[in-house]
Amino acid sequence: MSEITTPPRQIGAETRVAVVGLGYVGLPLAVALAAHVEVLGYDISERRVAELQAGEDRTHEVSPERLADSTLAVTHDPARLKDADCFIVTVPTPVDEQKRPNLDALLAAARTVGEQLAPGALVVFESTVWPGVTEDICRPEIEQRSGLTCGVDFHLGYSPERINPGDREHTVERIVKIVAAQDAETAQALATLYGKVTAGGVFIAKDIRTAEAAKVIENAQRDINIAFINEVAQIFHKMELSVHDVLEAANTKWNFLDFKPGLVGGHCIGVDPYYLAHRAVEIGHDPEIILAGRRINDSMGTFFADSIMAQLAGSSGSTGTPGPILVLGLSFKENVPDLRNSQVVDIVARLRVCGYRVQVHDPVADAAEAKRLYDIELKSDLADANAQYICVLGAVAHDAFRAFTTESFAALLAPGGLVADIKGLWRDVAMPAGIRRWTL
Ligand SMILES: NC(=O)c1ccc[n+]([C@@H]2O[C@H](COP(=O)([O-])OP(=O)(O)OC[C@H]3O[C@@H](n4cnc5c(N)ncnc54)[C@H](O)[C@@H]3O)[C@@H](O)[C@H]2O)c1
């Protein structure tokens, strides 16, 4: 006897969407969808829900005005998800200390969905994973909790997220959205749903595994490209060539890829390659390039700290000279508050271990979060600097730091001090007399 299938719900104005996980990805998506359909956002964090209910998004991805204007409802109570026609899961997929994928949040979210799922509903995962996680790991979890059968009672899809924190151009409303599902009807329903949100168009991938693979290589490719530039930056540094000058010249070629050297942190580029590598090893392939890229990028904090200490040798705290080092920026990326996997922390830790006093200033990051995650006290302003620093280290290209002038450095640095410009931020700024400059 053949099974009776409950068809996937049709997408229309009355569709009820539940977004599970309201972070950098989930909140902008939930707000964008709420302009077209009924959306309930659920987050496991009571604090996050309370802040959103009070109209505050501490990721700064959605403005208070937009949040206030949105019909999005948010909740901490999973039982309220039970009427959803479509669940969209946008929870974190980090790595643990050994760089192994940690699927705990994803599995917990799958169980939450399973407990609230009704026949005919769609379940879409957006979290970045390796090919197979949605169907082989999340699906059984949902089936077990719901007692429903995938493909018969509910329908599974995957739609990777491409947003880029702090990027106001490539928003969820403008970029091409990949969707994929276990059957054509569900894929079409997802194309209709996401098509309401993005003007960039929807691409229906061949299947869920293909969409998972596409996402994970997008970020692994970026990581490898940056690793290459970081490697040549180190080679050229030994040759006393500036990689910035070299790149300026090389970039005049039509097909040279424009990547910059630097720290690779955050929740995506420095993490996702480990997901692909993990699965590669499981199936008996040694992911050489992927892991070499990770090693190079993960070592950049040490490279920068050691290079700067070599410049400071003889004028430093380790030899008893009083001035501290001022590190400008702690978040993983310019103009975003996200501190997760910040590689600046590696620089600070190494300088401290080598005996330097280090202060960190970041006007964008949350001071309480810096303390909680890294035990770093952020210096709140620079008004009392009194030209005391032996080194000003530009670690993150926040707009506030880009605006620095010759006078800014004069106010911060002691005579003979060093500006360590790891981002090449101030290459066009003249340094005050007697102030040295180090850059790649
Ligand atoms: N941040 C990005 O720019 C970006 C871009 C593309 C893809 N991604 C991927 O999207 C996913 C989400 O990333 P993010 O940056 O939005 O993460 P995030 O940490 O900003 O947000 C995740 C939210 O999910 C909540 N959460 C955790 N476990 C939960 C659970 N079991 N049930 C409900 N809520 C739960 C957290 O409290 C948090 O508010 C990850 O897989 C990430 O790799 C992120």
Side-chain angles (χ1 to χ4, degrees):
M1 198 177 79
S2 67
E3 286 173 300
I4 298 169
T5 302
T6 312
R9 307 239 177 116
Q10 296 301 304
I11 301 296
E14 66 299 334
T15 295
R16 290 155 303 184
V17 174
V19 176
V20 178
L22 299 172
Y24 279 86
V25 166
L27 183 68
L29 177 70
V31 168
L33 280 165
H36 306 278
V37 292
E38 194 182 315
V39 184
L40 178 61
Y42 164 74
D43 202 288
I44 203 167
S45 158
E46 232 169 307
R47 178 181 166 199
R48 177 70 170 155
V49 171
E51 281 174 1
L52 293 174
Q53 282 167 339
E56 188 210 334
D57 168 25
R58 98 179 107 102
T59 67
H60 301 175
E61 292 299 306
V62 179
S63 68
E65 299 73 38
R66 226 174 139 220
L67 210 47
D69 287 348
S70 174
T71 59
L72 171 70
V74 293
T75 183
H76 177 56
D77 176 8
R80 286 189 55 200
L81 304 176
K82 69 174 173 19
D83 296 326
D85 302 300
C86 176
F87 293 83
I88 301 180
V89 179
T90 50
V91 298
T93 42
V95 287
D96 65 15
E97 302 223 316
Q98 278 77 48
K99 313 288 188 192
R100 289 176 308 208
N102 177 345
L103 297 178
D104 290 353
L106 195 66
L107 293 177
R111 289 191 285 272
T112 302
V113 170
E115 281 156 15
Q116 309 304 330
L117 196 62
L122 315 178
V123 183
V124 189
F125 287 85
E126 287 220 1
S127 302
T128 308
V129 289
W130 67 80
V133 169
T134 301
E135 288 169 299
D136 300 343
I137 298 179
C138 297
R139 168 188 167 150
E141 209 74 24
I142 301 171
E143 287 183 324
Q144 208 213 346
R145 282 297 158 126
S146 63
L148 301 175
T149 303
C150 185
V152 176
D153 305 311
F154 71 95
H155 306 270
L156 203 55
Y158 182 76
S159 179
E161 187 50 68
R162 288 171 158 167
I163 59 144
N164 190 13
D167 184 338
R168 301 290 169 247
E169 192 188 332
H170 302 102
T171 62
V172 74
E173 286 100 345
R174 296 199 193 141
I175 49 183
V176 178
K177 193 80 169 108
I178 293 180
V179 299
Q182 64 181 154
D183 56 73
E185 212 180 332
T186 304
Q188 199 48 58
L190 296 183
T192 305
L193 180 65
Y194 283 104
K196 289 178 184 292
V197 171
T198 181
V202 175
F203 177 87
I204 301 182
K206 184 178 169 205
D207 51 32
I208 291 175
R209 280 176 156 72
T210 303
E212 290 170 322
K215 170 63 198 181
V216 78
I217 67 160
E218 285 171 17
N219 281 354
Q221 184 191 62
R222 262 193 91 68
D223 195 45
I224 291 163
N225 280 319
I226 297 168
F228 171 71
I229 299 295
N230 276 336
E231 179 157 45
V232 298
Q234 295 184 43
I235 296 169
F236 295 151
H237 190 56
K238 287 203 164 87
M239 296 174 173
E240 297 183 5
L241 284 172
S242 162
V243 71
H244 296 296
D245 292 337
V246 175
L247 291 177
E248 206 171 62
N251 267 320
T252 59
K253 192 183 176 204
W254 61 94
N255 60 359
F256 188 82
L257 302 178
D258 185 17
F259 286 90
K260 303 272 184 288
L263 302 167
V264 177
H267 186 33
C268 292
I269 296 178
V271 170
D272 300 346
Y274 289 120
Y275 273 66
L276 184 54
H278 166 85
R279 186 61 186 148
V281 171
E282 269 188 353
I283 58 173
H285 179 89
D286 179 13
E288 287 183 70
I289 289 187
I290 298 169
L291 291 181
R294 281 287 64 243
R295 269 196 307 278
I296 292 172
N297 287 340
D298 269 352
S299 70
M300 287 307 283
T302 305
F303 166 75
F304 283 125
D306 289 351
S307 303
I308 292 162
M309 285 192 287
Q311 296 290 316
L312 290 174
S315 64
S316 71
S318 60
T319 54
T321 314
I325 294 174
L326 176 66
V327 172
L328 294 175
L330 184 65
S331 66
F332 92 89
K333 187 181 173 191
E334 61 274 11
N335 303 319
V336 299
D338 196 345
L339 289 167
R340 287 174 298 175
N341 303 323
S342 162
Q343 303 296 298
V344 183
V345 173
D346 293 354
I347 301 182
V348 173
R350 187 148 180 90
L351 292 173
R352 284 186 173 159
V353 131
C354 294
Y356 290 88
R357 283 191 292 136
V358 182
Q359 296 177 6
V360 184
H361 172 64
D362 191 321
V364 181
D366 178 33
E369 198 70 356
K371 179 79 184 150
R372 187 180 69 80
L373 284 177
Y374 303 119
D375 198 23
I376 290 178
E377 304 267 0
L378 289 184
K379 184 174 171 51
S380 56
D381 73 71
L382 301 176
D384 62 349
N386 294 328
Q388 61 170 316
Y389 295 104
I390 57 165
C391 173
V392 169
L393 194 163
V396 184
H398 291 324
D399 288 346
F401 304 148
R402 273 190 192 282
F404 271 32
T405 60
T406 310
E407 292 68 40
S408 317
F409 294 111
L412 292 171
L413 283 150
L418 176 75
V419 172
D421 184 6
I422 73 172
K423 300 286 292 182
L425 272 185
W426 304 305
R427 297 179 78 227
D428 297 331
V429 178
M431 287 300 141
I435 298 300
R436 295 173 299 139
R437 184 202 304 264
W438 179 85
T439 189
L440 281 174

